[in-house]
Amino acid sequence: MTLTDWLVAALGVVVVGAALAVVTTAHVVRAGLWLVVALGGLAGVYLVLTAELVAWVQMLVYVGAVVVLLLFAVMLTRAPIGASPDLDRARWPALLVGGGSAAALIILLVHAYRWSTVELDDAPAGTAEQVGTEIFRQWVLPFEVLSVLLLAALVGAIVVSARRDRV
């Protein structure tokens, strides 16, 4: 195994461990912070695989925006930050759905790739300019709609969390 294989495996262990901590912790804020670790580890995997643009997008969009939005939503809606007794539910449905999803993904990957090796030498090289051109020509409207949706969600969280006695 090469150094790249070891780094991807080590970062994969970090990502899987942090993802398990996200879904097993009873504290919402801690789950958000573990999500930062999981998404940061995934960005590290992208860096090791020399996909720098995808790694930066991962850090900016997911870690920088989604997790911050999640933490602001928790703070603005005055949701319980600590452990909540109403979150205790049976775990077997979650294990059944998670196990079924994992099995389906494994079957899909095995069927799609048949454990074959792919030669990347024949693949055309992409540049950040090509990606940017494609995004800003074909995908401008979905990005703008998403930004308006996120703005509406933030304004909605502020309105919901506002005290009614001041109105």
Side-chain angles (χ1 to χ4, degrees):
M1 286 181 57
T2 64
L3 178 63
T4 303
D5 296 334
W6 283 104
L7 285 173
V8 168
L11 286 169
V13 168
V14 169
V15 169
V16 169
L20 286 173
V22 168
V23 297
T24 57
T25 186
H27 298 272
V28 178
V29 174
R30 288 183 187 168
L33 295 175
W34 279 116
L35 186 61
V36 168
V37 173
L39 294 174
L42 190 59
V45 170
Y46 292 143
L47 280 176
V48 170
L49 296 175
T50 66
E52 293 89 4
L53 178 67
V54 180
W56 279 112
V57 168
Q58 172 81 16
M59 290 300 291
L60 290 174
V61 172
Y62 288 106
V63 176
V66 173
V67 174
V68 170
L69 183 67
L70 169 82
L71 293 176
F72 270 105
V74 167
M75 289 186 290
L76 286 174
T77 58
R78 294 189 186 101
I81 293 177
S84 265
D86 63 337
L87 294 179
D88 292 336
R89 291 184 173 78
R91 292 184 183 213
W92 67 268
L95 291 173
L96 184 67
V97 170
S101 299
L105 282 173
I106 289 170
I107 290 169
L108 176 73
L109 286 174
V110 168
H111 179 69
Y113 293 106
R114 304 270 183 200
W115 300 106
S116 65
T117 59
V118 178
E119 294 294 328
L120 296 178
D121 296 334
D122 299 333
T127 63
E129 181 181 358
Q130 290 172 339
V131 173
T133 302
E134 184 69 24
I135 286 174
F136 290 115
R137 272 202 193 134
Q138 303 294 328
W139 298 99
V140 171
L141 183 63
F143 278 132
E144 292 301 321
V145 169
L146 182 63
S147 67
V148 170
L149 178 69
L150 289 173
L151 178 65
L154 190 58
V155 169
I158 292 169
V159 168
V160 166
S161 67
R163 290 179 31 184
R164 297 291 177 201
D165 57 347
R166 285 187 281 167
V167 178

